[in-house]
């Protein structure tokens, strides 16, 4: 979980490793160069050693010749030993380019030794002439050795000239390499640091933005931080919090919605109850009077009038019942027929009413007084204004999933605006309804009762009649 | 935008990587080795060719022939020498070669006491074989193993024969030679004289001079003063030819005279090309180099012991100015 720390540690380690590699490489290079210089210098020094050793031999030889003491002899022997040592050293300097000269050189040194030995021999035999001659020779050889040392040094310089040049060239290259390496590392480090810091700051920035949006009240934007460090943890926690708040808020909203709908429903019911109460006192009296009138008409032989009065009374009684109840379609259809009897009596030949009912589906429940206002509407608009009269069809059809109730007239029809108005449950002025219940009230009650909006539909063309279709779904009807 | 910047960054990265890599390769290239130490050539015979006239065309040819042969024989050869007939330097080089105990010395013969002392006493003391090349010093005086070069007597004869062919059998001939009486010159001289003496009508004038240019000029002048009827000049020492021609040219036309010489001085070929010399004896320096190395190797390997002390002669032929054009 401490991955930011880990990242920082990794970065530091990488930088350190790079630095040490460079340091090691440069040190190695430096060491190598110094070794080479040293080796060459050593060659020169050992060559020089020969010269000085041979000169020392001559000096000691001279001293011994002038003062033949054992001390001087010892010195001479010592310097000779040194000469031999120097010779061995020089022998190791052999390479193809100086092979020849070096052989000569070593032989010269040997010649010097031999001459010295001969000198000592002659000297001990007191052969002065011969020893002097050998001494001169030794001196000559010593001179030749010095000369040849210079020659060999010259060859060495020539041999190593290329090498020196390459070393100098290379140290120039080292500087160049340093510059390139510096550039490369700087570049890489900047990139890595940028990427690395982005890895830390980007989630923080995202988190900040999310917090900002949250504080502005936007709870539905998901917080998405895809790293594996502490900030991702923070982001996840934050996101969970946002989700919780979001859920709470939507719950509260739902509740409020429900409450409002309930309220509306209540108001609607109260309105209709109030209306029915308004007409409750008179209607009982009116109902009894109508019954009396019916019997009287029957007794007086006017049967038709008596039937009409029964219908009116039935209608009235149905109307008087509480409006917020459900009835079966059968009852509703019966009332509808009584109402149409009354209307037929009124319009006589002008009204033609055709009924086509599938008896199997009359069990469905339907809110009371829903069909009657619709058919009343049809009578008002399709029969009343027309002298020649009109036709009204009433059909109940059983479908597989739903029962369709159609009320159709051949009147002048409605325009779309009006249909829209009705379906949107807008209140409009009532045009003399007997029940006092408006179309919009019916629509509202149907929708409330069945719980879906498309329960009622209106098809109409201007001048071609109107068709109101109720589709009642079979399932779920029982519970209503 | 993002793509472009990524592309640019990658490009920069690749370029930087490339240059760093190139640079690193240059720095850490592993030709650190100095010249390898070696002992493999120790067994090779070490030969030294010593001349008095380094870097003249004649000795350059001897050198190239010798080197070629040394390479073939697997011997290592060095060429030492003095410039411009510096005898002291030349003798010192021989001495160094002796002290250095080389396996063989091929040397241009120098007919004087120091040379003979060195070759006779020192060389025998160290047991180093010496072969003379081009110029000989007699065996009895130098203990040389053999001589490789032109038969100088024959060369003299050839030159004299050519002269008589051109000049006819009568006239005055000036023979200019060295006061040092070097062996090879005496040989040439005797060769020339042997031929010329067969013609009684040819008069030979011997002019002796030392090697400095002033001397040559003076001697030429002197000879011409004393013998106004001179017809031909022969520079027995090729080094005299230039001075001689210069002096003659000062006095009169060079054309009417027959001037002959040998090829072992650097300027003779140029003179021949300029038609100031009418002809010279051309030796085979490259062959001398080759043969000398071959012979000394044969001696060292014990293939031919002893070598023919009379010498091994290389080709000579006569070169006329007309041929060179």
């Amino acid at each position: 979980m401490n991955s930011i720390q880990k990242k920082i540690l990794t970065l530091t380690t990488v930088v350190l490793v790079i630095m040490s590699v460079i340091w090691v490489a440069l040190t190695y290079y430096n060491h190598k160069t110094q070794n080479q210089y040293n080796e060459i210098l050593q060659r020169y020094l050992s060559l020089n050693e020969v010269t000085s050793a041979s000169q020392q031999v001559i000096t000691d030889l001279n001293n011994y010749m002038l003062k033949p003491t054992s001390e001087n002899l010892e010195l001479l022997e010592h310097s000779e030993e040194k000469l031999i040592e120097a010779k061995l050293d020089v022998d190791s300097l052999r390479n193809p380019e100086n092979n020849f000269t070096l052989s000569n050189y070593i032989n010269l040194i040997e010649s010097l030794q031999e001459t010295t030995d001969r000198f000592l021999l002659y000297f001990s035999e007191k052969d002065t002439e011969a020893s002097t001659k050998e001494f001169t020779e030794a001196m000559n050889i010593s001179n030749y050795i010095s000369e040849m040392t210079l020659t060999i040094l010259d060859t060495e310089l020539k041999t190593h000239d290329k090498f020196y040049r390459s070393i100098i060239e290379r140290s120039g290259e080292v500087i160049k390499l340093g510059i390139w390496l510096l550039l490369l590392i700087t570049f890489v480090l900047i990139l890595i640091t940028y990427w690395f810091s982005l890895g830390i700051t980007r989630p923080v920035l995202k988190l900040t933005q999310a917090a900002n949006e949250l504080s502005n009240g936007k709870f539905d934007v998901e917080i998405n931080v895809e790293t594996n460090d502490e900030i991702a943890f923070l982001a996840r926690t934050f996101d969970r919090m946002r989700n919780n708040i979001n859920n709470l808020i939507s719950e509260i909203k739902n509740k409020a919605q429900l409450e409002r709908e309930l309220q509306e429903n209540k108001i609607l019911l109260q309105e209709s109850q109030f209306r029915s109460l308004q007409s409750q006192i008179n209607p009982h009296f009116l109902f009894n009077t109508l019954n009396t009138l019916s019997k009287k008409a029957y007794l007086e032989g006017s049967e038709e009038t008596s039937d009409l009065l029964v219908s009116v009374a039935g209608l009235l009684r149905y109307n008087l019942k509480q409006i917020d109840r459900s009835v079966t379609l059968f009852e509703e259809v019966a009332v509808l027929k009584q109402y149409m009897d009354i209307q037929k009596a009124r319009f006589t030949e002008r009204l033609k009413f055709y009924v086509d009912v599938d008896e199997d589906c009359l069990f469905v429940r339907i809110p009371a007084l829903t069909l009657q206002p619709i058919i009343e509407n049809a009578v008002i608009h399709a029969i009343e204004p027309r002298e020649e009269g009109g036709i009204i069809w009433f059909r109940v059809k059983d479908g597989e999933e739903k029962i369709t109730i159609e009320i159709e007239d051949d009147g002048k029809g409605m325009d779309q605006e009006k249909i829209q108005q009705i379906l949107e449950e807008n209140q409009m002025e009532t045009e003399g309804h007997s029940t006092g219940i408006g179309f919009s009230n019916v629509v509202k009650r149907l929708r409330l009762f069945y719980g879906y909006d498309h329960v009622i539909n209106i098809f109409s063309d201007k001048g071609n009649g109107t068709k109101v279709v109720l589709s009642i779904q079979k399932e779920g009807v029982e519970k209503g | 935008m993002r793509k472009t910047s990524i592309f640019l960054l990658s490009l920069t990265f690749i370029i930087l990587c490339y240059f760093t890599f190139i640079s690193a390769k240059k720095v850490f290239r592993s030709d650190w080795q100095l010249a390898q130490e070696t002992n493999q050539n120790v067994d090779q015979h070490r030969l030294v060719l010593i001349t008095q006239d380094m870097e003249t065309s004649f000795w350059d040819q001897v050198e190239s022939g010798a080197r070629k042969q040394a390479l073939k024989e697997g011997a290592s050869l060095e060429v030492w020498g003095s410039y411009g007939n510096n005898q002291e330097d030349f003798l010192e080089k021989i001495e160094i070669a002796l002290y250095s105990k080389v396996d063989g010395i091929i040397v241009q013969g120098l007919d004087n006491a120091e040379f003979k002392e060195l070759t006779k006493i020192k060389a025998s003391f160290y047991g180093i074989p010496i072969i003379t090349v081009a110029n000989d010093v007699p065996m009895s005086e130098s203990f040389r193993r053999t001589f490789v070069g032109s038969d100088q007597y024959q060369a003299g004869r050839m030159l004299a024969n050519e002269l008589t062919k051109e000049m006819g059998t009568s006239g005055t001939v000036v023979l200019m030679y060295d006061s040092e009486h070097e062996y090879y010159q005496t040989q040439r001289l005797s060769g020339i004289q042997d031929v010329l003496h067969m013609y009684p009508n040819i008069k030979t004038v011997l002019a002796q001079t030392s090697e400095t240019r002033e001397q040559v000029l003076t001697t030429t002048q002197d000879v011409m003063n004393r013998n106004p009827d001179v017809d031909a000049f022969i520079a027995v020492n090729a080094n005299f030819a230039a001075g001689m021609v210069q002096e003659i040219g000062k006095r009169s036309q060079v054309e009417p005279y027959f001037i002959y010489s040998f090829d072992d001085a650097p300027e003779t070929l140029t003179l021949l090309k300029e038609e100031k010399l009418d002809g010279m004896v051309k030796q085979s320096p490259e062959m001398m180099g080759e043969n000398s190395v071959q012979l000394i190797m044969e001696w060292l390997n014990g293939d031919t012991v002893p070598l023919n002390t009379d010498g091994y002669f290389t080709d000579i032929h006569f070169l006329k100015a007309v041929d060179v054009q």
Side-chain angles (χ1 to χ4, degrees):
Chain A
M1 212 53 227
N2 52 357
S3 64
I4 287 181
Q5 198 182 8
K6 221 185 274 171
K7 276 183 194 170
I8 291 172
L9 275 177
T10 317
L11 184 67
T12 320
T13 317
V14 166
V15 172
L16 266 179
V17 166
I18 292 172
M19 295 294 183
S20 358
V21 165
I22 291 168
W23 182 79
V24 165
L26 285 182
T27 312
Y28 167 75
Y29 173 81
N30 215 11
H31 178 72
K32 226 173 167 186
T33 316
Q34 261 173 8
N35 269 359
Q36 296 295 335
Y37 276 129
N38 195 29
E39 202 176 302
I40 295 166
L41 198 64
Q42 213 56 53
R43 291 172 83 96
Y44 298 164
L45 284 178
S46 51
L47 284 172
N48 197 43
E49 185 61 33
V50 171
T51 311
S52 51
S54 72
Q55 273 162 2
Q56 189 59 44
V57 168
I58 298 300
T59 316
D60 290 341
L61 211 59
N62 192 30
N63 287 345
Y64 181 66
M65 197 166 71
L66 295 175
K67 233 195 251 171
T69 58
S70 63
E71 216 172 272
N72 275 344
L73 185 63
E74 216 169 274
L75 276 174
L76 178 61
E77 271 162 6
H78 178 70
S79 59
E80 246 186 300
E81 264 163 38
K82 268 181 93 179
L83 185 65
I84 292 167
E85 261 170 49
K87 187 184 84 177
L88 289 176
D89 272 353
V90 165
D91 197 30
S92 65
L93 303 184
R94 207 176 278 277
N95 66 27
E97 270 166 75
N98 66 10
N99 188 24
F100 192 100
T101 324
L102 208 69
S103 300
N104 290 351
Y105 194 56
I106 286 161
N107 286 338
L108 265 185
I109 298 167
E110 275 170 10
S111 294
L112 180 59
Q113 278 172 256
E114 286 160 12
T115 318
T116 316
D117 292 345
R118 277 203 304 277
F119 165 80
L120 288 174
L121 189 74
Y122 290 137
F123 196 71
S124 61
E125 286 170 2
K126 311 281 183 203
D127 187 345
T128 323
E129 196 189 332
S131 65
T132 314
K133 204 178 144 220
E134 291 300 331
F135 178 73
T136 320
E137 203 166 298
M139 229 157 70
N140 276 344
I141 295 175
S142 170
N143 283 341
Y144 294 149
I145 287 176
S146 303
E147 263 173 47
M148 204 176 269
T149 308
L150 291 180
T151 320
I152 292 179
L153 275 178
D154 194 43
T155 330
E156 286 282 303
L157 284 177
K158 267 181 208 149
T159 314
H160 295 143
D161 181 57
K162 220 179 91 197
F163 180 74
Y164 276 128
R165 272 172 212 286
S166 80
I167 283 185
I168 288 163
E169 219 171 81
R170 223 169 285 179
S171 51
E173 282 299 328
V174 168
I175 292 171
K176 264 193 222 161
L177 175 67
I179 292 169
W180 282 118
L181 217 54
L182 193 72
L183 283 177
L184 181 69
I185 289 173
T186 311
F187 180 76
V188 169
L189 274 186
I190 284 174
L191 272 191
I192 288 178
T193 317
Y194 174 73
W195 170 76
F196 174 73
S197 63
L198 213 63
I200 295 176
T201 52
R202 195 157 36 191
V204 172
L205 199 72
K206 260 190 183 174
L207 211 61
T208 317
Q209 274 172 351
N212 212 8
E213 275 183 4
L214 218 62
S215 72
N216 282 341
K218 280 187 205 160
F219 289 98
D220 46 359
V221 185
E222 202 182 337
I223 302 162
N224 203 3
V225 175
E226 280 164 357
T227 55
N228 50 355
D229 51 15
E230 296 87 333
I231 291 161
F233 172 74
L234 218 74
R236 273 200 301 277
T237 324
F238 199 58
D239 197 42
R240 219 176 300 143
M241 188 185 89
R242 180 194 63 83
N243 262 334
N244 288 345
I245 292 175
N246 212 6
N247 287 346
L248 281 175
I249 285 175
S250 57
E251 221 167 276
I252 289 170
K253 269 188 187 162
N254 273 346
K255 265 186 192 160
Q257 173 88 16
L258 272 176
E259 241 159 58
R260 205 177 62 234
E261 275 175 19
L262 210 68
Q263 205 69 31
E264 223 170 80
N265 224 352
K266 267 183 191 160
I267 290 167
L268 223 69
L269 269 173
Q270 272 168 358
E271 186 197 82
S272 50
Q273 273 172 349
F274 175 72
R275 292 224 175 155
S276 58
L277 272 174
Q278 236 188 353
S279 50
Q280 244 174 9
I281 307 162
N282 281 349
H284 278 284
F285 167 73
L286 206 62
F287 177 65
N288 292 339
T289 314
L290 278 174
N291 270 338
T292 318
L293 283 178
S294 161
K295 296 293 176 286
K296 192 154 175 77
Y298 187 75
L299 288 173
E300 284 174 4
S302 178
E303 281 175 28
E304 213 171 316
T305 310
S306 167
D307 284 349
L308 204 57
L309 281 171
V310 168
S311 289
V312 172
L315 194 62
L316 197 59
R317 189 178 56 204
Y318 190 79
N319 227 341
L320 284 177
K321 287 182 186 168
Q322 284 226 316
I323 200 166
D324 59 335
R325 71 188 192 278
S326 64
V327 294
T328 56
L329 185 59
F330 177 78
E331 287 175 86
E332 193 68 6
V333 169
V335 171
L336 189 76
K337 280 180 181 159
Q338 283 184 325
Y339 174 76
M340 282 317 280
D341 283 343
I342 297 164
Q343 290 298 0
K344 262 187 190 154
R346 182 180 163 197
F347 293 108
T348 61
E349 292 303 309
R350 281 168 66 201
L351 170 65
K352 289 194 182 82
F353 181 56
Y354 300 103
V355 182
D356 175 15
V357 174
D358 191 339
E359 301 286 338
D360 290 340
C361 45
L362 291 179
F363 61 91
V364 292
R365 298 198 80 82
I366 189 167
L369 283 173
T370 42
L371 297 183
Q372 190 263 333
I374 295 170
I375 215 153
E376 186 172 33
N377 208 49
V379 171
I380 290 167
H381 290 106
I383 314 294
E384 259 185 10
R386 291 159 77 206
E387 202 106 340
E388 74 277 13
I391 310 165
I392 292 175
W393 292 271
F394 175 73
R395 304 183 196 96
V396 177
K397 282 186 252 170
D398 194 3
E400 266 185 29
E401 285 174 9
K402 55 190 180 184
I403 294 158
T404 316
I405 303 168
E406 292 177 2
I407 295 150
E408 190 180 356
D409 64 56
D410 62 345
K412 64 179 190 284
M414 300 186 217
D415 47 30
Q416 287 298 317
E417 206 180 322
K418 191 146 189 195
I419 293 171
Q420 211 60 33
Q421 242 179 356
I422 292 164
L423 290 181
E424 280 168 13
E425 307 175 22
N426 284 343
Q427 211 69 39
M428 49 190 168
E429 77 271 35
T430 45
E431 297 171 56
H433 283 250
S434 59
T435 47
I437 295 169
F439 211 128
S440 59
N441 181 290
V442 171
V443 172
K444 224 175 246 181
R445 279 192 295 130
L446 277 171
R447 282 179 179 167
L448 272 174
F449 184 81
Y450 291 110
Y452 51 88
D453 276 2
H454 57 271
V455 67
I456 182 160
N457 228 334
I458 300 169
F459 306 94
S460 180
D461 271 336
K462 206 76 180 153
N464 276 338
T466 309
K467 185 172 175 183
V468 177
V469 182
L470 303 183
S471 357
I472 297 158
Q473 270 170 2
K474 280 180 176 173
E475 87 182 273
V477 160
E478 274 82 1
K479 71 177 182 200
Chain B
M1 182 58 204
R2 196 177 152 76
K3 260 186 189 168
T4 326
S5 59
I6 285 178
F7 174 74
L8 280 177
L9 285 176
S10 324
L11 199 72
T12 321
F13 179 72
I14 288 166
I15 287 170
L16 282 175
C17 272
Y18 175 75
F19 279 113
T20 313
F21 180 71
I22 293 281
S23 208
K25 220 166 91 178
K26 274 186 196 160
V27 170
F28 292 102
R29 208 172 30 193
S30 58
D31 57 347
W32 279 93
Q33 286 308 312
L34 290 169
Q36 279 293 319
E37 289 180 9
T38 176
N39 293 313
Q40 63 183 20
N41 294 338
V42 169
D43 296 341
Q44 280 187 338
H45 287 302
R46 291 178 298 130
L47 307 179
V48 183
L49 171 65
I50 306 172
T51 79
Q52 298 173 61
D53 269 319
M54 290 275 278
E55 290 178 21
T56 56
S57 71
F58 181 87
W59 284 104
D60 279 351
Q61 287 177 58
V62 175
E63 186 185 328
S64 83
R67 282 198 191 283
K68 226 185 277 170
Q69 188 65 26
L71 198 69
K72 220 196 277 175
E73 304 263 1
S76 56
L77 176 97
E78 281 213 350
V79 181
W80 296 354
S82 59
Y83 293 92
N85 292 335
N86 184 338
Q87 294 191 353
E88 203 177 308
D89 204 11
F90 170 71
L91 291 170
E92 193 185 297
K93 286 281 180 343
I94 298 175
E95 205 175 352
I96 292 175
L98 290 172
Y99 286 134
S100 302
K101 299 175 186 169
V102 292
D103 296 308
I105 298 176
I106 300 165
V107 68
Q108 179 183 6
L110 177 64
D111 198 359
N112 68 14
E114 288 98 331
F115 180 82
K116 284 171 192 164
E117 206 243 67
L118 274 177
T119 48
K120 230 172 165 175
I121 302 168
K122 271 255 167 69
S124 359
F125 179 79
Y126 284 102
I128 297 169
I130 288 181
I131 288 184
T132 49
V133 70
N135 302 341
D136 194 18
V137 175
M139 165 74 180
S140 52
E141 292 169 35
S142 66
F143 285 173
R144 58 155 175 77
R145 302 289 160 188
T146 187
F147 162 72
V148 178
S150 316
D151 184 345
Q152 301 294 1
Y153 177 78
Q154 279 302 325
R157 284 188 74 95
M158 182 185 271
L159 194 133
N161 280 331
E162 287 295 329
L163 176 65
T164 51
K165 250 188 252 166
E166 291 290 323
M167 191 182 69
T169 52
S170 63
T172 309
V173 179
V174 174
L175 300 176
M176 190 95 96
Y177 65 98
D178 214 318
S179 52
E180 300 263 342
H181 294 285
E182 281 196 57
Y183 179 69
Y184 78 96
Q185 285 189 46
T186 355
Q187 291 274 357
R188 283 179 187 171
L189 204 58
S190 64
I192 296 167
Q193 280 176 331
D194 283 356
V195 173
L196 293 184
H197 284 157
M198 295 195 300
Y199 306 98
N201 290 336
I202 292 179
K203 177 185 160 203
T204 53
V205 179
L206 295 178
Q208 211 181 80
T209 178
S210 68
E211 236 183 275
T212 57
R213 198 166 178 98
E214 290 77 32
Q215 268 302 314
V216 174
L217 295 179
T218 326
T219 314
T220 316
Q221 211 171 354
D222 189 43
V223 162
M224 288 178 86
N225 284 343
R226 279 193 278 126
N227 306 283
D229 58 341
V230 68
D231 297 301
F233 288 91
I234 297 176
V236 180
N237 183 338
N239 292 321
F240 298 165
M244 207 167 74
V245 167
Q246 189 193 341
E247 187 55 34
I248 298 167
K250 245 192 251 172
R251 289 203 157 207
S252 64
Q253 290 280 313
V254 185
E255 279 303 311
Y257 297 108
F258 301 101
I259 306 174
Y260 290 90
S261 185
F262 296 84
D263 70 337
D264 42 4
E267 62 277 353
T268 42
L269 190 66
T270 331
L271 290 171
L272 191 72
K273 278 186 183 156
E274 288 169 358
E275 290 191 70
K276 285 179 178 160
L277 282 183
D278 293 284
M280 67 177 191
V281 173
K282 180 98 182 69
Q283 310 179 71
S284 314
E286 201 162 333
M287 199 170 161
M288 290 177 201
E290 277 173 36
N291 287 0
S292 55
V293 172
Q294 190 192 341
L295 286 166
I296 207 160
M297 287 305 289
E298 276 174 21
W299 189 87
L300 286 170
N301 295 332
D303 295 338
T304 314
V305 181
L307 296 169
N308 183 358
T309 47
D310 290 339
Y312 297 82
F313 296 124
T314 51
D315 298 344
I316 46 173
H317 56 270
F318 196 78
L319 205 62
K320 287 183 202 166
V322 216
D323 302 334
V324 179
Q325 299 311 310

